Amino acid sequence: MTIAINETHDPAVKSWVESANRAEGDFPIQNLPFGACRRRGSSQPPRVGVAIGDFVLDVSGAHRAGLLPGVAEPVALACQSSSLNKLMALGQPHWSALRRELHSLLRADGPGAAGNQDAGRKHLLPVAEAEFCPPAEIGDYTDFYASIHHATNVGSLLRPDNPLLPNYKWVPVAYHGRASSIVVSGTPVKRPAGQSRSKPLEPVQYAPTERLDYELEVGFYVGPGNALGSPIPMGEAEPHIFGLCLVNDWSARDIQAWEYQPLGPFLAKNFCTTISPWVVTLEALAPFRTAAFRRIASDPAPLPYLSSAEDKEHGGLDITLEVWIRTQKMQQQGAEPVRLSSGNFKDMYWTIAQMLVHHASNGCNLRPGDLLASGTVSGAKSRGCLLELTTGGATAIDLPGGEKRRFLEDGDEIILRGSCQSPQFARIGFGDCRGTVQSASA
């Protein structure tokens, strides 16, 4: 069930929050992503908020002030929480109704716009004064491997003659990550230590990783979820997806190379995962749906439980994704970040619906706030991590000022960005997903 385009997507609508009307801004009135934050320095618990321009609207405060009259009681109660879990559990009809109410409140030509503006400003917090928290209490985190380009590029480093394992085109491969080490954008990332072996005949050592990497990913949060033992059919998948965010799955490649056999990723990936603070709802992304990845004729068709005509035609998402770096030297010189790569989420071999359905296909119960991530987003000409960009560290990347990188160094800041653009609709963005590498001794 693909969400329909409605009045909340109208590109002609402007907001009385002037900063939301910038053409290149991430948070116009057509976006309205959800998050959790509090005023910086406050000891109060986080509150559910919506991004609008350079501000955060306190949803619960606006409701108590009578500015969201059409919001049902279950939604109002959910928005009084310090996270989005209760709202996520309510389901698509409630999410959509709240979005319409927020849109009506914030539009410049809405009913009672002058009064809304005067009263609404009392519930706006400047983003610059906000301290962001993870938007949901994430009970479980699963990371997929859904880009065939990434899987081929990495497989070529390990198995040049046979980069893809036999199951890849049949099953959405994934591993269970560590929810406790997921942090919100801006949190420092301490360089991890672990076991590694640089060459086959050399001794195994325990030391800080020398091959720290980022991975450009998109994550999505589970909504209502399913009962234990009850799979989710393809036709019912999207009502279980609340919204999307950006994910940086930091990876220690030398530790990973030593430990991943025979059971896959472990300490090389569970030391830290960074998420963007905003959750862009699936409804906000409705104008940017596209066809699923077009498989070549020799590829197997998805098995029936992973297949639907609607997902084939509209299961993809046209999201431009970028990775930027700002080294410590650049920061000291006041230089701007430089872009390392750009790709698009529509290049993923498996759709978000297929990932969710496969995850629940054995009866595994997904719960509100669970996070599922796509795996590294790479394309035919784009590379979503340094392992790919440097061909396993064999070729250094040249940066301004004479710097080079094979893998990340202490002080490097990595910034992930995502946006959707179309001539027929307003541009919407995801906000930054940032993390700066700290030394192992920090």
Side-chain angles (χ1 to χ4, degrees):
M1 182 183 73
T2 304
I3 297 170
I5 294 172
N6 56 45
E7 71 276 10
T8 66
H9 303 103
D10 184 351
V13 175
K14 303 297 181 185
S15 174
W16 49 261
V17 180
E18 288 298 330
S19 58
N21 301 325
R22 294 194 301 262
E24 294 304 312
D26 276 353
F27 307 124
I29 194 171
Q30 293 80 8
N31 192 349
L32 303 179
F34 287 88
C37 69
R38 59 188 162 209
R39 186 176 294 275
R40 191 174 301 280
S42 169
S43 60
Q44 296 295 315
R47 304 174 76 115
V48 171
V50 164
I52 181 72
D54 295 334
F55 295 87
V56 182
L57 176 72
D58 178 355
V59 178
S60 181
H63 178 264
R64 289 196 301 272
L67 299 175
L68 300 169
V71 169
E73 183 177 359
V75 178
L77 291 173
C79 290
Q80 293 175 18
S81 179
S82 59
S83 72
L84 295 173
N85 295 67
K86 291 182 179 179
L87 179 61
M88 291 172 172
L90 292 179
Q92 177 61 45
H94 290 286
W95 307 335
S96 186
L98 176 57
R99 175 179 167 85
R100 281 185 163 91
E101 283 292 306
L102 291 165
H103 186 270
S104 178
L105 167 64
L106 292 166
R107 64 184 295 163
D109 61 350
N116 286 345
Q117 180 172 349
D118 292 339
R121 288 195 182 280
K122 299 176 183 178
H123 303 282
L124 292 179
L125 174 66
V127 169
E129 299 177 18
E131 176 189 347
F132 290 96
C133 304
E137 296 175 9
I138 301 169
D140 283 296
Y141 163 51
T142 301
D143 201 9
F144 283 83
Y145 195 47
S147 166
I148 194 169
H149 299 291
H150 173 65
T152 301
N153 293 337
V154 172
S156 296
L157 297 175
L158 304 173
R159 303 174 298 276
D161 297 329
N162 187 29
L164 283 183
L165 293 174
N167 67 341
Y168 187 85
K169 295 180 180 181
W170 291 93
V171 59
V173 177
Y175 73 93
H176 291 288
R178 182 74 182 175
S180 65
S181 53
I182 296 175
V183 300
V184 75
S185 176
T187 306
V189 180
K190 187 172 182 177
R191 182 178 296 273
Q195 287 193 24
S196 64
R197 172 184 267 173
S198 57
K199 294 181 181 179
L201 298 181
E202 291 189 358
V204 176
Q205 62 173 354
Y206 180 87
T209 178
E210 296 179 353
R211 294 164 68 90
L212 184 61
D213 201 356
Y214 61 83
E215 289 194 347
L216 170 64
E217 304 193 16
V218 170
F220 58 99
Y221 289 91
V222 175
N226 59 306
L228 183 65
S230 300
I232 299 173
M234 276 295 293
E236 299 175 16
E238 292 201 357
H240 289 280
I241 299 173
F242 178 76
L244 283 66
C245 68
L246 302 180
V247 175
N248 187 340
D249 180 33
W250 303 92
S251 301
R253 299 303 189 185
D254 42 3
I255 300 172
Q256 182 179 2
W258 173 243
E259 73 173 9
Y260 85 100
Q261 297 189 59
L263 295 181
F266 184 33
L267 300 182
K269 285 178 171 286
N270 71 2
F271 59 94
C272 188
T273 301
T274 303
I275 56 174
S276 54
W278 295 112
V279 186
V280 178
T281 64
L282 204 56
E283 184 166 3
L285 294 167
F288 307 101
R289 304 305 295 263
T290 188
F293 185 89
R294 298 296 187 188
R295 301 180 176 212
I296 60 175
S298 60
D299 282 0
L303 292 177
Y305 80 99
L306 290 173
S307 179
S308 77
E310 188 169 24
D311 191 63
K312 184 176 181 180
E313 293 304 314
H314 304 288
L317 287 159
D318 186 1
I319 306 171
T320 298
L321 299 163
E322 298 177 328
V323 182
W324 298 72
I325 188 171
R326 194 168 181 239
T327 69
Q328 190 170 46
K329 179 180 177 181
M330 293 166 66
Q331 295 169 46
Q332 292 168 347
Q333 294 176 343
E336 293 297 314
V338 295
R339 190 172 67 184
L340 291 175
S341 67
S342 176
N344 198 293
F345 194 57
K346 65 184 179 182
D347 291 330
M348 304 305 280
Y349 195 77
W350 298 100
T351 68
I352 58 174
Q354 289 172 321
M355 292 181 229
L356 180 134
V357 166
H358 180 67
H359 201 315
S361 63
N362 67 343
C364 172
N365 54 320
L366 303 177
R367 298 173 294 183
D370 283 357
L371 180 66
L372 279 60
S374 64
T376 304
V377 180
S378 296
K381 296 182 179 180
S382 65
R383 304 290 183 266
C385 62
L386 287 175
L387 185 69
E388 294 177 81
L389 282 170
T390 67
T391 317
T395 306
I397 297 171
D398 293 320
L399 299 175
E403 292 187 274
K404 296 178 180 292
R405 287 292 183 276
R406 285 181 169 84
F407 292 97
L408 298 175
E409 298 185 6
D410 293 347
D412 287 349
E413 180 184 35
I414 292 296
I415 308 163
L416 309 185
R417 291 172 178 157
S419 62
C420 301
Q421 302 185 64
S422 165
Q424 290 80 36
F425 295 96
R427 176 193 187 276
I428 67 171
F430 284 72
D432 288 355
C433 180
R434 296 172 175 261
T436 300
V437 179
Q438 286 186 337
S439 71
S441 59

